[in-house]
Amino acid sequence: MALRALHILLLPLVLVGVWWGASVATGLYYLPDPGEIAATFVEVWGSERLAADVLPSVGRLLGGFTLGTVLGVALGIVLGLSARLRAVLEPVLEFFRAIPPPVLVPLLMLFVGVNTTMKLAVIVSGCIWPILLNTIEGVRAVDPVLIDTCRCYGIRGRRWLTTLVLRSASPQIMAGMRQGLSIAIILMVISEMFASSSGLGYTIIQFQRSFAIAEMWSGILLLGLLGFGLSVLFGVAERRVLYWYNGVRAAARGE
């Protein structure tokens, strides 16, 4: 256990050491040393900025991701169960999926305005696609034998949907949600950089424009820590949801 913890910490420590050495050797104004960034981090983000910028950004991130998950899973189930509907809508879905979500920001600003709804729409427009597509494939991959078995035992309706379809598709749904979460973090920052008066993206771009370099790096560090923390929490939730699936895989490997 101690050896594994050492392996996990070793690479970050090496990278910090390389960064520190490069900042001292070059003396670049735009590359402050990690000590300065750490001190600035505590000073900037330990103040009222936590409530003014960080919490609203996290709220928009989680709200957009939750909405994208609900829409993606719901539409994915419908399209996964209906081959005819899927064939009709597939060209349209492929067209909209190919549009980079950041280019929708100016359009959404015109139709929705510069507000929280616009930022949520930007996040949803990007994170919904991996969830939707993975849900469709997961529903399509449900074992036909299990479908026939449920039909024989009279399992229909909502019980059939939750017991068989969602349970069978849950590994792929969770994989899509993991991808969607990383996209949601990116789009949260982009939406705040384009049009906002608060939030992490807005604050970082203001630091850059005012040449507050250490403060800018501290914001980037905070985003990295936020993404890492959310990934860890998602991993815990994923293991709880897919405990049965992980158990089946472990049994198949003979563990």
Side-chain angles (χ1 to χ4, degrees):
M1 189 70 177
L3 186 61
R4 184 164 181 239
L6 180 62
H7 287 164
I8 293 173
L9 292 174
L10 186 59
L11 180 58
L13 290 175
V14 170
L15 292 176
V16 170
V18 171
W19 185 354
W20 209 311
S23 65
V24 172
T26 60
L28 288 176
Y29 174 72
Y30 300 109
L31 189 66
D33 64 73
E36 182 182 354
I37 294 174
T40 304
F41 183 93
V42 175
E43 179 183 349
V44 172
W45 304 108
S47 61
E48 65 275 2
R49 285 192 181 277
L50 180 65
D53 295 311
V54 180
L55 295 182
S57 292
V58 173
R60 287 190 284 263
L61 167 64
L62 296 179
F65 176 69
T66 301
L67 185 57
T69 299
V70 172
L71 293 175
V73 172
L75 291 173
I77 291 173
V78 173
L79 295 175
L81 293 175
S82 176
R84 181 175 298 178
L85 183 61
R86 188 168 60 249
V88 171
L89 294 181
E90 186 173 12
V92 178
L93 293 177
E94 289 297 325
F95 172 79
F96 283 109
R97 186 170 72 92
I99 299 175
V103 305
L104 297 176
V105 173
L107 184 65
L108 291 171
M109 288 172 60
L110 293 175
F111 282 99
V112 182
V114 181
N115 50 34
T116 300
T117 303
M118 182 274 290
K119 300 177 182 66
L120 291 176
V122 172
I123 296 171
V124 172
S125 68
C127 73
I128 189 175
W129 295 110
I131 301 171
L132 172 63
L133 297 176
N134 276 273
T135 302
I136 291 174
E137 293 305 314
V139 172
R140 291 180 61 190
V142 176
D143 192 344
V145 176
L146 294 178
I147 295 176
D148 292 337
T149 302
C150 287
R151 186 180 296 114
C152 292
Y153 281 95
I155 300 175
R156 296 182 177 84
R158 186 167 66 177
R159 187 181 176 192
W160 173 80
L161 182 64
T162 56
T163 304
L164 176 61
V165 176
L166 282 176
R167 192 177 180 88
S168 298
S170 58
Q172 287 186 260
I173 293 175
M174 296 302 291
M177 289 176 63
R178 179 175 286 278
Q179 297 174 32
L181 179 60
S182 61
I183 295 173
I185 295 173
I186 296 170
L187 293 176
M188 178 266 292
V189 177
I190 291 175
S191 67
E192 292 175 348
M193 285 181 172
F194 267 93
S196 184
S197 58
S198 65
L200 281 171
Y202 169 80
T203 304
I204 291 173
I205 206 69
Q206 291 303 310
F207 285 149
Q208 183 266 334
R209 289 171 178 170
S210 60
F211 293 94
I213 303 302
E215 288 79 358
M216 180 191 72
W217 277 107
S218 73
I220 295 172
L221 175 62
L222 179 58
L223 280 174
L225 293 174
L226 175 63
F228 177 76
L230 289 175
S231 178
V232 170
L233 291 175
F234 185 86
V236 172
E238 185 178 33
R239 285 191 293 272
R240 288 182 176 273
V241 171
L242 299 180
Y243 70 93
W244 62 273
Y245 178 71
N246 296 326
V248 169
R249 293 182 63 187
R253 294 194 299 264
E255 297 179 0

